[in-house]
Amino acid sequence: MRPEKRALIVPLLISVIANVGIVLAQNATVNVDACPGYNATNVFNIRNGLKADLVLAGKACNAYGKDYERLSLTVTYETDNRIHMKIVDPSNSRYEVPESVFPRPKSWDGNRDSPNINFRYTKSPFSFAITRKSTNEVLFNTTGYPLVFEPQYLRIKTSLPTNANIYGLGEHTNSFRLPPENTVRTLWNRDAIGGIPNGTNLYSDHPVYFEHRTTGTHGVFLLNSNGMDVKLQTVNGGTSLEYNVIGGILDFYFLAGPSPVDVAKQYAAVAGLPAEIPYWGLGLHQCRWGYKDYYEVAQVVANYSAANIPLETMWTDIDYMYERLVFTNDPQYFPLAKMREMVSDLHARGQQYIVMVDPAVGVRPGVSGAYDRGQALGGVWMKNPDGSDFHGLVWPGVTVWPDWFNPKTPTYWENEFRLFFDPATGIDIDGAWIDMNEPASFCMYPCSNPSAEAISQSLPPSRTSPPPASTLSLPIGTSAPSLTSNLLKRDNMYTNVLNPPYAIHHAADNLSARTVFTNVVHSNGLIEYDTHNLFGTMMSSATRDAMAKRRPGLRTFIITRSTFAGAGAKVGKWLGDNLSIWEHYRNSIAGMLSFAALFQVPEVGSDVCGFGDNTTETLCARWATLGAFNPFYRNHNADGPIPQEFYRWPTVAQAARNAIDMRYRLLDYFYTALHQAHLDGTPVLQPLWFQYPKDTNSYGIDLQFLFGESILVSPVTQENVTSVSVYFPDDVFYDFKSYAVTNGAGATVDLSNIDYTEIPVHIRGGVVLPLRVSSAYTTKQLRKEDFELVVAPDRSGKASGSLYIDDG
């Protein structure tokens, strides 16, 4: 959500609070624990699992609709470490996440004879448990909690250990370890209002969790794209986790572990291995919403050079567009000739350029070529139930959205990229930034008159400054400086998709609020009620394919805001419109860990120094150092707040130089970690307990993390302080700069006199680090630097490491 819209949202927020209260009261009257559940009948074994019928065990409770009388259960031991369980309606083909969006794993080599986890069940009433073979402990157990399966309400519930360690179920800004009492994680992608508030649903949907115990780690993934509440509750000393889903089927994958990294790899085998990114993608990126013209963009590039701060990639937000229309440039403020000259200069310096591409296409016949070409294809837009185009409201005013399920849409999208970003005649971008793809709409529900709302919201916004003179010369130059040392239609049986009988805890008053309506129909008959959470990931796939076709042989670099499970196989992710406050600085660490360690989206990072509101010199300095250990490192802020490029303050500039020096020297070490993630899913960022799984003190730590497996990062996280309490597990660590030894004892150590330009970084014992001898201004220059090896032995005197090198 953009800051300039906040004033418009205040009445809505009041409405949200009131409606949530009503929903809670309504839902509280239904005791689904009293529902009859099902009995298992006709149970029979198959080669690698079992099948059964589930028959309603008593009088229907009809909690939020009519109970299904008969269901079908299939359990498959797909590998020795993965069990796949599906519960479906055998009489009607209900919606499932399409294979085209989420390809299922193909290699099955499991059987019921030697698995590391087992499926056990009770016939009457039906319940099941997942147990670990080596310890016989129960990992997932529905005993005592009846299954509920209705057209628009599915409920399944498991008991958990007291004070369970649960991680995942994103996207959120909660703590990394979810509080096991009275936590509701709602999954319904939305354009977050007010700067990624805690305790609400945000841009992405990742219905997977890891549970960690001293005896091992396991994972649970529900492949379902419908809206849902996942409730963690502790009542009378008993802890439970409950799914409340408003459509689709129950399609679970249970992952055995037993180590945290094992679970991550096993999830990657289901969701897809992360995409490899170009080497340059790990450099520093600079962006701002509000650069008024091409000259200001070029001046920022020049200023970074003058400040001796390495800049890899320059970005431009929607400002470059003509009246905010996608696939256009403003001929006065961002004339094509000057844009092409600027990109050419950047490329000559070994730098890159990226622009924003939004999914919403302005309904401007004769003005928007993208709209006209879409119409010429017969209309590739999402439709109302009556077959007319669905209209909403985004930056250019009244808009339509591409229907990613329409077989013509991929060709349409590829053609738009080919035309507008043609290297010979257009803006030769090196990567793409896709936003507003939850999808977001500014039209207030029920949005009966988008044209009138566009006028009332002054969309598209007018320019407020004069255009630059046409005779201006670009201030960049063509040489980079050297650093000075220093699918099918389903019979869904839904009765109300606009206001379903069970209301999830969506942080807006309606599922269709500020987005495409849930009754919108796709070309293949699917409805947005089922597929809403897939929009961002489907746009990501289409954009990746379009970039690959216009730059054959080169790796793509795509950063998106909205994701679904499996998105990391295509794109990277930024953590959305945060604020320039210390709380969001701290939250960014847990956000990175969730995506990189759990969700298999390793190229992730926050808007460094904050997006909304004014940053401060000390906050931006600290964030510049923390950001250097984000996989995706970008300074980005909004139109309105003060500028925050790193060169604006001497302290921040020096902090950035120091941090980038460490990052760039470590870049091949981290690039190797990214390659390993691409091969087998090993996480590139890890919480401490991933490497110290029996250290109970580490389970709640989310203000420190491991960059790769061997670099411990411990940022200062409080305002106006120069000290930090660092937890050192029972291991040996070496200061990154001085190599001073710290013998950890599973205790906290206070570090003091940490200058605002520094960040505490330590090397874990047992690693051989391949470092570049020195940093450089661009990654192209960096690859010409020699290597040095830093050997950091463990307590037994041993160390090992690896290095992966390719052409980037």
Side-chain angles (χ1 to χ4, degrees):
M1 182 62 202
R2 305 294 194 181
E4 72 179 34
K5 295 293 177 186
R6 286 181 195 154
L8 299 174
I9 302 304
V10 171
L12 175 62
L13 290 176
I14 296 171
S15 172
V16 169
I17 294 169
N19 278 288
V20 167
I22 293 170
V23 168
L24 289 173
Q26 175 186 347
N27 289 350
T29 62
V30 179
N31 180 17
V32 291
D33 282 336
C35 290
Y38 291 80
N39 292 328
T41 63
N42 300 323
V43 181
F44 62 94
N45 291 330
I46 56 178
R47 185 190 67 81
N48 56 348
L50 62 87
K51 290 189 174 184
D53 294 330
L54 302 180
V55 180
L56 197 65
K59 182 181 179 181
C61 67
N62 299 331
Y64 299 97
K66 182 177 173 58
D67 287 337
Y68 282 83
E69 294 186 359
R70 182 177 294 270
L71 303 170
S72 177
L73 167 72
T74 304
V75 177
T76 307
Y77 288 78
E78 292 188 344
T79 74
D80 289 346
N81 293 306
R82 183 174 79 229
I83 292 175
H84 185 194
M85 186 201 80
K86 291 181 71 172
I87 298 177
V88 303
D89 171 16
S91 302
N92 296 284
S93 184
R94 286 174 59 90
Y95 167 76
E96 302 180 31
V97 176
E99 179 88 17
S100 61
V101 181
F102 191 97
R104 309 313 194 257
K106 301 299 184 187
S107 57
W108 296 0
D109 57 4
N111 59 68
R112 292 182 292 108
D113 299 328
S114 59
N116 292 318
I117 50 175
N118 285 295
F119 180 91
R120 297 177 179 173
Y121 66 93
T122 299
K123 286 187 175 181
S124 181
F126 170 72
S127 64
F128 72 91
I130 304 295
T131 61
R132 188 182 300 283
K133 181 179 180 181
S134 62
T135 61
N136 206 36
E137 63 187 314
V138 177
L139 308 181
F140 193 99
N141 185 8
T142 67
T143 301
Y145 302 121
L147 169 68
V148 181
F149 203 111
E150 298 169 354
Q152 289 181 260
Y153 180 72
L154 315 180
R155 184 263 202 171
I156 195 165
K157 185 175 181 179
T158 177
S159 56
L160 293 174
T162 302
N163 203 30
N165 300 301
I166 302 292
Y167 309 84
L169 302 172
E171 181 180 5
H172 60 77
T173 52
N174 296 51
S175 57
F176 184 56
R177 176 183 177 270
L178 295 172
E181 60 281 331
N182 300 321
T183 293
V184 179
R185 286 295 314 116
T186 298
L187 304 184
W188 183 257
N189 297 352
R190 74 180 183 102
D191 177 10
I193 300 169
I196 56 173
N198 288 347
T200 67
N201 52 308
L202 297 176
Y203 311 102
S204 297
D205 174 12
H206 292 271
V208 60
Y209 74 82
F210 288 29
E211 186 195 338
H212 180 65
R213 308 175 185 180
T214 56
T215 52
T217 311
H218 66 275
V220 178
F221 171 48
L222 173 58
L223 179 52
N224 184 300
S225 63
N226 290 84
M228 69 180 75
D229 286 336
V230 185
K231 300 178 180 180
L232 281 164
Q233 298 173 307
T234 300
V235 179
N236 298 325
T239 303
S240 63
L241 184 147
E242 177 184 83
Y243 294 89
N244 298 264
V245 190
I246 61 173
I249 65 169
L250 295 176
D251 191 355
F252 279 97
Y253 291 86
F254 299 98
L255 310 173
S259 78
V261 173
D262 288 337
V263 178
K265 292 178 178 180
Q266 291 155 12
Y267 179 61
V270 175
L273 292 165
E276 288 201 284
I277 65 167
Y279 189 87
W280 62 259
L282 295 177
L284 172 66
H285 303 257
Q286 174 61 49
C287 185
R288 185 180 187 185
W289 174 40
Y291 289 139
K292 62 183 182 296
D293 54 50
Y294 76 90
Y295 189 82
E296 185 175 9
V297 174
Q299 189 63 60
V300 170
V301 177
N303 290 345
Y304 267 93
S305 296
N308 198 35
I309 302 173
L311 176 65
E312 185 69 22
T313 306
M314 190 66 203
W315 296 45
T316 305
D317 208 311
I318 56 176
D319 310 282
Y320 76 94
M321 300 176 186
Y322 174 68
E323 295 190 352
R324 302 300 192 256
L325 293 166
V326 68
F327 301 117
T328 69
N329 61 284
D330 190 301
Q332 288 187 292
Y333 292 82
F334 292 85
L336 181 59
K338 287 295 186 182
M339 295 291 283
R340 285 180 53 76
E341 181 185 352
M342 180 175 67
V343 174
S344 178
D345 288 353
L346 286 168
H347 289 169
R349 292 158 54 96
Q351 294 170 301
Q352 283 70 229
Y353 187 58
I354 289 175
V355 298
M356 166 83 77
V357 179
D358 279 344
V361 177
V363 180
R364 298 283 298 278
V367 179
S368 170
Y371 178 74
D372 292 341
R373 287 184 288 271
Q375 288 293 91
L377 289 172
V380 292
W381 321 121
M382 299 168 77
K383 305 292 185 182
N384 289 308
D386 64 4
S388 62
D389 293 343
F390 174 81
H391 286 174
L393 201 63
V394 194
W395 296 114
V398 179
T399 58
V400 289
W401 283 264
D403 177 3
W404 305 115
F405 286 103
N406 189 317
K408 298 178 181 178
T409 300
T411 301
Y412 162 76
W413 199 246
E414 290 166 10
N415 188 54
E416 293 305 312
F417 268 75
R418 181 183 62 82
L419 292 173
F420 188 67
F421 299 121
D422 189 316
T425 60
I427 302 173
D428 187 15
I429 58 172
D430 299 280
W433 173 26
I434 52 179
D435 187 18
M436 306 294 286
N437 54 350
E438 292 71 36
S441 172
F442 299 151
C443 202
M444 301 303 179
Y445 186 80
C447 191
S448 56
N449 191 338
S451 297
E453 284 210 38
I455 294 171
S456 68
Q457 294 190 33
S458 300
L459 294 172
S462 300
R463 301 276 183 181
T464 58
S465 62
S470 59
T471 56
L472 288 176
S473 297
L474 292 179
I476 299 177
T478 57
S479 298
S482 298
L483 285 184
T484 58
S485 56
N486 191 344
L487 232 145
L488 297 176
K489 184 175 181 180
R490 305 296 183 186
D491 297 321
N492 54 56
M493 299 183 66
Y494 300 151
T495 57
N496 191 338
V497 297
L498 291 174
N499 294 285
Y502 175 86
I504 61 174
H505 292 60
H506 178 37
D509 58 346
N510 187 284
L511 291 181
S512 298
R514 302 189 61 80
T515 189
V516 171
F517 289 5
T518 49
N519 66 348
V520 160
V521 181
H522 294 278
S523 68
N524 60 355
L526 296 180
I527 59 174
E528 190 67 1
Y529 180 83
D530 290 321
T531 65
H532 167 85
N533 286 343
L534 303 178
F535 187 94
T537 290
M538 295 187 74
M539 182 189 182
S540 297
S541 296
T543 303
R544 177 181 173 85
D545 292 344
M547 283 294 292
K549 288 189 176 181
R550 68 171 285 275
R551 290 160 53 94
L554 297 179
R555 289 180 188 156
T556 60
F557 187 81
I558 315 292
I559 297 295
T560 184
R561 188 169 74 174
S562 181
T563 59
F564 181 70
K570 301 286 187 179
V571 295
K573 148 83 180 171
W574 103 99
L575 296 174
D577 295 347
N578 58 5
L579 300 179
S580 299
I581 57 177
W582 285 87
E583 180 185 16
H584 286 186
Y585 165 89
R586 291 187 289 269
N587 289 348
S588 71
I589 302 173
M592 286 193 302
L593 287 174
S594 291
F595 277 90
L598 308 181
F599 304 153
Q600 289 295 331
V601 186
E603 183 64 2
V604 62
S606 65
D607 280 348
V608 172
C609 299
F611 175 75
D613 295 343
N614 291 330
T615 194
T616 65
E617 183 174 2
T618 54
L619 174 60
C620 198
R622 292 294 188 206
W623 217 325
T625 63
L626 172 60
F629 295 92
N630 287 209
F632 174 52
Y633 185 20
R634 184 183 68 167
N635 182 332
H636 176 49
N637 75 315
D639 189 10
I642 61 173
Q644 63 183 37
E645 293 85 1
F646 288 156
Y647 54 75
R648 298 284 177 175
W649 301 271
T651 303
V652 178
Q654 191 57 49
R657 294 185 199 105
N658 293 347
I660 294 170
D661 178 80
M662 283 193 288
R663 179 184 179 90
Y664 279 22
R665 293 186 65 213
L666 281 163
L667 212 61
D668 293 87
Y669 155 81
F670 194 68
Y671 189 68
T672 300
L674 283 166
H675 178 68
Q676 192 62 44
H678 173 70
L679 294 179
D680 67 7
T682 300
V684 300
L685 295 186
Q686 299 183 17
L688 270 64
W689 58 268
F690 266 45
Q691 291 299 318
Y692 303 96
K694 294 188 180 297
D695 184 348
T696 58
N697 294 327
S698 70
Y699 297 170
I701 293 176
D702 58 9
L703 296 179
Q704 296 174 250
F705 60 96
L706 293 166
F707 185 70
E709 293 186 342
S710 302
I711 298 295
L712 176 63
V713 183
S714 307
V716 176
T717 56
Q718 298 296 324
E719 186 174 11
N720 297 326
V721 300
T722 56
S723 61
V724 63
S725 296
V726 176
Y727 182 78
F728 287 104
D730 187 10
D731 206 345
V732 61
F733 296 86
Y734 303 84
D735 182 90
F736 181 78
K737 291 187 174 180
S738 70
Y739 303 140
V741 177
T742 296
N743 275 301
T748 297
V749 175
D750 292 330
L751 303 182
S752 58
N753 299 318
I754 303 167
D755 192 86
Y756 286 101
T757 65
E758 302 292 340
I759 183 172
V761 176
H762 292 82
I763 305 167
R764 284 181 66 216
V767 66
V768 177
L769 279 181
L771 302 181
R772 295 287 179 173
V773 171
S774 61
S775 184
Y777 193 79
T778 67
T779 59
K780 187 175 182 179
Q781 294 173 342
L782 181 66
R783 291 171 70 88
K784 298 177 182 178
E785 297 291 334
D786 290 336
F787 281 102
E788 63 180 358
L789 299 180
V790 175
V791 180
D794 60 19
R795 285 172 172 165
S796 64
K798 297 179 180 179
S800 63
S802 61
L803 174 64
Y804 173 75
I805 299 176
D806 61 16
D807 61 6

